[in-house]
Amino acid sequence: MSTRQATPRFSEREERLLASLTAGGAGTYALIGGLLAVFLWGLVAYATQLRHGLGVTGLRDHVLWGVYIANFVFFIGVSHVGALMSAILRLTGAEWRRPITRMAEAITFASLLMGGLMPLVDMGRPDRLLNLVRYGRLQSPILWDLLSITTYLTGSTLFLYVPMIPDLALLRDRYAAGPAWRRRLYTLLSLGWQDTPAQRHRLELIMRVMAVIIIPIAVSVHTVVSWIFGMTLRAGWNSTIFGPYFVSGALFSGAAAVITAMAAFRWAYRLEDYITEAHFRRMGYLLIALGLAYGYFTFAEYLTPAYKMATAERGYLTAVFSGPFARLFWFTQLTGILLPLLLLTLPRIAWVPRLHRVPLLRPRPALAAAATYAVASVVLSAASPSLTMAGLNLNQWIPPWVLPTLAVWLFLAFLPVFHARPITAAVVASLLVNVGAWLKRYLIVVPTLLNPFLPIQRAPAGWAVYQPTWVEWSITAGALAGFLLIYIGFSKLFPIVPIWETREAPESREAAVQEGIVGVAAV
Amino acid sequence: MLRQSRSGRASTGLGRFCLGALGVLLFVLPAWAGEPARVTLRLEAGPDGAQWITARVTDAEGAPVPEASVVFKLRTAFGWLTLEERTTDASGQARTRLPAGTRATEIRAESGDVEGVGATLSVGAPAPESPRVRPGRDVLRALSPQPAFISPRPAPELVALLALVLGGIWATYGYVAWLLWQIRSSGSRS
């Protein structure tokens, strides 16, 4: 480990790993500026909500939770994988984890901060927040949630911080380019680290302890989040498997977020030697396993009530399967679970490149057909009134089987492309997983509230539907921008790839290099 | 001659001014007479126990102003929240129902375009004290097979369980903090 007496310059390897701190062109500033603008717009929307009350949102007496609580469940879910994955891989000695653990742990930190704010945003009177503690019932899952999230935030911050100490000491000793406050920060946070045997022993002890304890905490947090729903007598929420269902969904979306972050940092800071294709392959395996588990839980969660179709739950199930939420529901199942799994598995089949030999199964004809379909749909929709008046039925012009056929055609045409570019396949799959995950949270929250056991009555007609307003969408966009700003800000202050952990040679280093898990430059 | 003409011009100018002022007064006064100049507020309890706020709008001469818009507002921690906008009836009155459960706060009613024509009234009662007598475990057990979850007081076993779990976790955090302190201490010694 480096000390104050060591050479004051970074090695070439260290400079590459510190690129996120030093590099920053016009693109970076434009990205940060854009995110800041969105975040500030979100603040303006929140100020509007504070000033005029929750009446400016689509929330009413019946749908009292909407987009905000969907955001809350989504962010808390994404926060899962960082600490959990890192802890499990640490305890099992998986060496390939080393370059990606910190970016996973930082996702936990950033998403917990934004997720924790969402219930506050959902409160019409946040000035009464203290009442939750003063008058909260210890028997209520809401208070359990407050306690578990606070505990998890503290634990995951420690879990992120402790392995950073040797890197902070390195920055303290050698980072001279930045402003003085940075060096003071590194000096403060590095806790006088000199890499003595006693310090190293204690650091390793802390990491072992934290890795063990953070696993049950992480699992319990999302279980408690699920209990907020599961402990009510409501159609769609009254379930005994909501705990594991939520945990599996959280791990699935969190692993996808880590893949997206890996690809972004690899691309932005040229970290190809450290975040290799093998990392994406392994994370892909993890995503497949988690996706299958999540798919299983989803199936079990819906099959049980759908098989019985009890009177009280019929309205809710009909709304989700074939009613107003059907398109969204089937979209999340197909695009958020099935398609990512297919993207991660099918391109690995050996004969996939041969598909290009078939002229029709090349990207260009498939794309041309998709574009024709899109144009035809737009034109026919625009001409719809006159066509209907002329006695022509649109359904006869574009039969319903055309869209699924096109989707399959496009998928087959792009399979060889994804075979040649496995990282692109992993990133596309992970983005689809996260979009699907957010939509699924929305589907967990809203349809149940719109289908209470006692019918909505003696209420204005508009209260029986939920339509999020610009305020809610703006705050949601602001929260996402805030999450990204915290994450980028973290990577601008601290090394996003652990320097000392990737330097320390594991016993199986050579084997790892041969396997392609650790690039040659990392050794 | 010169003095006369000057005084004559002065008197003519004064006369014109007076005429103009009179014209303005004659033109404006009727308008003032019909404009909201004062708002008074009254709190009433309905037969169903609901609270109603009545605003009475009068003009400068004390006559009721019909068809005047009245905006009812409720003070919150973040400023005035608009409750409802109403129009006065023939007697210059407009009413609104207070939201159920409104605790001690202020209600304001504003009328007309002129700023400051309004009135404020303190309404609501402080939150009632919690009942001193609470049902015991035997009463709750008769109501539900899980008395611990419906009890207004947390059950001792629940508190003990939470204290054990959370206490264990936070004690571990404390141990980690102590180890970090040891790292810092040994760093400063070496």
Side-chain angles (χ1 to χ4, degrees), chain A residues 96 99 266 272-282 508-520 522:
Chain A
W96 63 273
R266 177 187 148 104
E272 289 86 355
D273 290 336
Y274 299 93
I275 303 170
T276 63
E277 195 181 302
H279 285 102
F280 287 91
R281 196 173 66 234
R282 298 226 167 193
S508 56
R509 167 70 66 183
E510 285 182 15
V513 172
Q514 282 170 9
E515 202 184 337
I517 293 167
V518 178
V520 177

Side-chain angles (χ1 to χ4, degrees), chain A residues 372-396:
Chain A
T372 310
Y373 174 81
V375 171
S377 301
V378 170
V379 170
L380 287 176
S381 298
S384 174
S386 51
L387 284 173
T388 310
M389 282 176 72
L392 293 169
N393 187 356
L394 269 182
N395 291 334
Q396 289 175 343

Side-chain angles (χ1 to χ4, degrees), chain A residues 55-294:
Chain A
V56 298
T57 67
L59 302 170
R60 293 294 181 268
D61 282 13
H62 297 281
V63 184
L64 44 108
W65 290 348
V67 167
Y68 297 148
I69 298 301
N71 292 342
F72 164 69
V73 181
F74 175 75
F75 277 124
I76 299 294
V78 168
S79 79
H80 253 65
V81 83
L84 203 59
M85 190 189 84
S86 176
I88 292 171
L89 295 179
R90 239 177 236 286
L91 288 174
T92 53
E95 296 301 335
W96 63 273
R97 73 170 202 280
R98 288 175 184 262
I100 62 169
T101 47
R102 192 167 295 159
M103 54 184 79
E105 290 157 9
I107 284 179
T108 296
F109 178 71
S111 57
L112 264 182
L113 283 183
M114 292 320 296
L117 282 180
M118 283 297 121
L120 200 68
V121 173
D122 192 62
M123 291 175 77
R125 295 288 301 271
D127 53 310
R128 294 177 179 172
L129 178 68
L130 202 59
N131 288 355
L132 196 63
V133 181
R134 285 174 67 194
Y135 306 115
R137 296 175 72 243
L138 208 55
Q139 304 92 308
S140 162
I142 301 268
L143 202 60
W144 303 348
D145 210 28
L146 186 75
L147 294 170
S148 62
I149 288 176
T150 318
T151 306
Y152 185 42
L153 180 62
T154 311
S156 57
T157 308
L158 277 172
F159 196 55
L160 171 67
Y161 165 61
V162 172
M164 269 201 319
I165 292 174
D167 287 348
L168 291 167
L170 181 81
L171 290 167
R172 172 199 64 197
D173 296 336
R174 302 191 197 175
Y175 191 78
W181 65 264
R182 269 200 177 209
R183 295 196 65 173
R184 281 200 294 275
L185 180 74
Y186 296 144
T187 305
L188 180 76
L189 293 177
S190 59
L191 299 179
W193 179 263
Q194 300 295 337
D195 199 26
T196 63
Q199 282 182 324
R200 166 108 15 169
H201 169 71
R202 289 188 181 110
L203 187 85
E204 284 170 359
L205 179 60
I206 293 174
M207 284 161 60
R208 277 200 301 276
V209 168
M210 285 307 300
V212 170
I213 201 171
I214 206 75
I215 295 172
I217 296 173
V219 171
S220 71
V221 168
H222 218 56
T223 308
V224 173
V225 170
S226 81
W227 286 346
I228 290 177
F229 301 94
M231 293 209 178
T232 58
L233 275 170
R234 278 181 172 273
W237 292 354
N238 184 21
S239 162
T240 54
I241 64 159
F242 246 35
Y245 177 47
F246 268 49
V247 171
S248 66
L251 290 172
F252 187 41
S253 59
V258 172
I259 290 177
T260 311
M262 282 163 54
F265 283 116
R266 177 187 148 104
W267 173 77
Y269 301 117
R270 308 256 174 245
L271 295 172
E272 289 86 355
D273 290 336
Y274 299 93
I275 303 170
T276 63
E277 195 181 302
H279 285 102
F280 287 91
R281 196 173 66 234
R282 298 226 167 193
M283 284 301 293
Y285 293 151
L286 192 65
L287 202 62
I288 292 167
L290 293 170
L292 288 171
Y294 179 58

Side-chain angles (χ1 to χ4, degrees), chain B residues 38-113:
Chain B
R38 188 157 180 257
V39 179
T40 50
L41 282 174
R42 194 171 69 244
L43 180 68
E44 294 166 314
D48 57 348
Q51 288 185 303
W52 290 83
I53 290 280
T54 305
R56 186 165 186 270
V57 182
T58 51
D59 62 13
E61 295 173 341
V65 181
E67 299 297 321
S69 73
V70 177
V71 181
F72 291 95
K73 296 178 175 179
L74 180 126
R75 183 189 279 285
T76 70
F78 307 102
W80 291 96
L81 175 71
T82 301
L83 287 178
E84 200 172 13
E85 189 166 348
R86 289 277 177 145
T87 309
T88 54
D89 56 14
S91 62
Q93 294 192 358
R95 295 180 84 198
T96 189
R97 183 182 166 133
L98 276 188
T102 302
R103 298 293 178 208
T105 185
E106 285 178 282
I107 294 282
R108 182 168 175 79
E110 290 174 359
S111 182
D113 299 329

Side-chain angles (χ1 to χ4, degrees), chain B residues 152-189:
Chain B
R153 290 197 196 95
E157 53 266 35
L158 184 67
V159 176
L161 181 67
L162 273 173
L164 189 71
V165 174
L166 285 174
I169 294 168
W170 282 92
T172 311
Y173 290 170
Y175 174 60
V176 167
W178 180 76
L179 285 173
L180 286 172
W181 179 256
Q182 293 286 309
I183 288 175
R184 185 182 168 78
S185 302
S186 60
S188 57
R189 276 199 300 272

